[in-house]
Amino acid sequence: MVELLVVIAIIGILIALLLPAVQAAREAARRMQCGNNLKQLGLAVHNFHSAKNRLPCGENDPDWIAFKKPGTSGRLDAVDIYSPLCSLLPFVEQQAIFDTITSMLATASATAPYDSALVPQTNISNVTIGGMDNPFRSEVSAFGCPSDPYWKKPVGSPNYTGTTSYHCNRGDAQTGSNWGETRGLFPNGINMTFTLANVVDGTSNTLLFAESMSSNPATADDRKIQSGVAILDTAIRTTTPSQCAATRGSLGMLGVAATNNKGRRWPDARQVYTMFNSILPPNAPSCRFNGEREMLISASSYHSGGANVALCDGSVRFVSDTVDCGQITEVLGQSLGSNVNEPQQWTGPSTYGVWGAAGTSNGGESQQLP
Amino acid sequence: MAKQILISGMILFFSVWLLVSGCNKTKAIKTDIVTGKVTFNGTPFAGATVNFTPKVGASGNPAYAVTAEDGTYKLQTLLGNPDAGTTPGEYVVTISRTENAPSGKKISDPDHPGKTLDEMRPKEVLPIKYKNTKTTPLTATVVADQANTFDFELTN
């Protein structure tokens, strides 16, 4: 009789333990699927590199600016801001979308000078040149973290551009998206293109992608720290990252007004849409400095305690919120003698600890992520 | 019989204890509140970033805040809770406010083909000496287990 009671008690306690764990198990599964998506993107970059002997560019990618206006030597409007994710489409089994983009650009290059469907705006026309479905409206599942609640477009807004949860490494310097300097991996293609040989710090020590959660399309003032972008509207260069970090308020919310455009256009190379900076740790605030071109975007996720990242060697890691970020109260390289008026031109080691070092491709530090 | 129940009870207790305590982690570090007020030429100064950088070789966590409308600030760190201050130690204090000013040059606007945007350059509002850790005259020593107050009076 007593044995029976003990057995019943044990079963009761086990059920009490297991039932609440079901939600956690589902989140663990989503985190693994997210890591798998990042792994595929990492492999896509390696396949791109095998095919073209270079990495995709952060802006002004040679493949896209090769499309000229009819009868001129100037590029088509808006192709300068086509993102690395556009270039990677054939390597994540989205050849059809890629072909639609290239044929749309080829038609525009041959006949029409400008078509608004070429610009990846948040709300775009559903039909593009030649009567094709607009390719930018596609939801590409390889670009979506299953834990990102706003990755899917709202049901009532089919004409929104597709969203991405994964952002490309723009390095540990606060820069505008069209600037020549990058300490990360996705430079402005007009100035330079990168190959894996540029990753002097070692491919297993350098970040390629990180997740950063998409903004909530339903509100103009998205204060959630993972998905919102705090509005500072101060100068991005010569500002210490701490100014952005200070926008953190209580309860995981931003303490100042915010915008809601993070990640909301996978074809757009500007930082808020597809780039991140390895300055502030995962789940720290992201900030807007000057329009859409000058942003500090931090990695973020709804996985507990950190965010998934992909490294240049194709591996995927989970980086904790508590990763060492060094002296975020200084501008880049300040204590080592950088030009504090143009800190983005600093070529020495990162000021921002292990996380900053992981973001530089050629900072002269070979620190491994913990 | 009683012994069996005791043993199984103990095994159960320990397995439950292991499960419950296994993945517990603490994020926030222990900090001491640091507040104060920034004035520039005698008037409260809003929108300035106050940075506490640990002195070379000293202990402490980099801490920061932006001043409110009345010039007051409450420091926070990356690892601590918001407005919770920083860990004890000696700090170099830098204060700056940088604004955007048009440089006069125009750049193309990708969202509106054919139109242009003003190129922006940074403009310092406060004297530059307060901005650099090497030139700032300001320091602070945060003491444990008490509320720390540092007022900074900046002048041209």
Side-chain angles (χ1 to χ4, degrees):
Chain A
M1 192 58 210
V2 181
E3 290 93 331
L4 188 66
L5 284 176
V6 170
V7 167
I8 291 169
I10 291 173
I11 291 172
I13 289 170
L14 282 180
I15 289 173
L17 282 170
L18 275 175
L19 279 184
V22 170
Q23 264 311 97
R26 295 171 76 114
E27 167 51 31
R30 285 193 292 264
R31 193 184 69 216
M32 288 180 78
Q33 195 184 336
C34 173
N36 187 50
N37 285 346
L38 275 167
K39 178 97 186 163
Q40 298 302 329
L41 281 174
L43 292 177
V45 166
H46 278 263
N47 284 329
F48 183 97
H49 191 275
S50 299
K52 310 223 174 203
N53 215 15
R54 66 173 176 87
L55 296 169
C57 289
E59 195 158 301
N60 286 302
D61 190 278
D63 286 355
W64 299 120
I65 58 175
F67 290 97
K68 308 294 185 195
K69 278 185 190 170
T72 70
S73 61
R75 61 167 168 78
L76 280 173
D77 291 319
V79 290
D80 55 327
I81 56 162
Y82 281 22
S83 73
L85 296 179
C86 288
S87 306
L88 291 176
L89 283 169
F91 304 95
V92 290
E93 305 198 318
Q94 298 295 347
Q95 186 74 41
I97 301 174
F98 184 82
D99 287 347
T100 314
I101 298 174
T102 46
S103 86
M104 170 178 90
L105 291 178
T107 313
S109 202
T111 56
Y114 170 67
D115 185 283
S116 65
L118 300 180
V119 188
Q121 290 171 27
T122 299
N123 204 350
I124 49 174
S125 64
N126 57 341
V127 188
T128 178
I129 300 171
M132 289 179 286
D133 270 357
N134 194 319
F136 296 145
R137 293 158 73 229
S138 310
E139 279 178 344
V140 182
S141 57
F143 300 159
C145 168
S147 294
D148 185 349
Y150 304 120
W151 173 75
K152 274 201 170 299
K153 292 192 273 189
V155 176
S157 308
N159 287 344
Y160 278 6
T161 291
T163 303
T164 179
S165 312
Y166 303 119
H167 289 234
C168 310
N169 174 16
R170 183 71 191 172
D172 65 342
Q174 298 183 162
T175 59
S177 65
N178 57 339
W179 296 12
E181 304 89 358
T182 180
R183 289 166 55 84
L185 266 185
F186 295 92
N188 185 336
I190 283 182
N191 300 70
M192 59 188 136
T193 55
F194 271 18
T195 71
L196 284 175
N198 291 70
V199 189
V200 179
D201 290 348
T203 51
S204 53
N205 304 328
T206 304
L207 295 165
L208 200 50
F209 299 103
E211 54 177 331
S212 190
M213 295 295 100
S214 321
S215 293
N216 182 353
T219 171
D221 187 11
D222 184 357
R223 298 273 184 110
K224 212 162 180 56
I225 209 159
Q226 284 94 344
S227 57
V229 180
I231 300 171
L232 290 180
D233 285 346
T234 56
I236 187 165
R237 104 188 87 192
T238 82
T239 305
T240 55
S242 56
Q243 189 189 16
C244 181
T247 60
R248 177 179 67 150
S250 54
L251 303 170
M253 308 295 278
L254 296 167
V256 301
T259 69
N260 72 332
N261 51 0
K262 185 147 67 85
R264 301 275 309 284
R265 309 174 188 176
W266 60 255
D268 195 325
R270 286 173 292 179
Q271 276 148 316
V272 69
Y273 302 112
T274 52
M275 296 285 159
F276 81 99
N277 299 97
S278 64
I279 299 173
L280 298 178
N283 299 321
S286 297
C287 294
R288 180 182 95 177
F289 289 90
N290 172 24
E292 288 162 305
R293 277 194 176 272
E294 297 182 352
M295 302 265 187
L296 193 171
I297 302 297
S298 304
S300 68
S301 85
Y302 296 112
H303 316 310
S304 180
N308 284 315
V309 299
L311 299 170
C312 284
D313 62 354
S315 65
V316 173
R317 305 279 287 274
F318 190 74
V319 177
S320 163
D321 293 348
T322 57
V323 65
D324 167 36
C325 286
Q327 310 282 36
I328 62 156
T329 51
E330 294 187 335
V331 299
L332 186 64
Q334 184 176 298
S335 56
L336 294 167
S338 68
N339 175 358
V340 291
N341 295 318
E342 304 282 349
Q344 74 282 359
Q345 294 176 353
W346 174 243
T347 54
S350 177
T351 307
Y352 307 127
V354 174
W355 182 236
T360 60
S361 51
N362 188 9
E365 14 34 10
S366 301
Q367 297 189 55
Q368 282 197 309
L369 282 168
Chain B
M1 189 59 227
K3 202 177 169 187
Q4 276 180 347
I5 295 170
L6 188 69
I7 290 169
S8 51
M10 279 170 70
I11 291 171
L12 187 69
F13 174 78
F14 276 107
S15 49
V16 169
W17 177 76
L18 279 175
L19 276 167
V20 169
S21 64
C23 298
N24 207 7
K25 57 185 166 193
T26 49
K27 188 191 168 191
I29 51 171
K30 186 187 172 296
T31 52
D32 293 287
I33 287 172
V34 183
T35 56
K37 187 171 184 174
V38 175
T39 54
F40 180 49
N41 291 337
T43 51
F45 195 81
T49 309
V50 180
N51 284 315
F52 277 47
T53 308
K55 277 190 182 163
V56 177
S59 63
N61 269 284
Y64 46 84
V66 173
T67 55
E69 284 302 312
D70 58 356
T72 57
Y73 69 90
K74 287 178 188 163
L75 284 193
Q76 60 170 300
T77 54
L78 280 176
L79 298 175
N81 291 319
D83 299 341
T86 185
T87 50
E90 289 182 43
Y91 293 89
V92 178
V93 180
T94 53
I95 301 176
S96 67
R97 183 171 140 192
T98 315
E99 287 180 350
N100 273 319
S103 71
K105 270 206 281 184
K106 298 277 184 184
I107 52 172
S108 68
D109 179 357
D111 270 343
H112 305 95
K115 297 199 174 146
T116 56
L117 294 165
D118 284 325
E119 189 193 62
M120 294 292 184
R121 292 290 306 178
K123 184 181 128 217
E124 299 297 334
V125 181
L126 291 170
I128 192 79
K129 69 171 175 180
Y130 294 117
K131 177 167 188 160
N132 197 325
T133 41
K134 288 181 176 162
T135 55
T136 178
L138 312 172
T139 56
T141 304
V142 176
V143 183
D145 302 323
Q146 69 171 62
N148 295 269
T149 306
F150 302 105
D151 292 339
F152 299 106
E153 290 164 5
L154 315 184
T155 49
N156 257 340

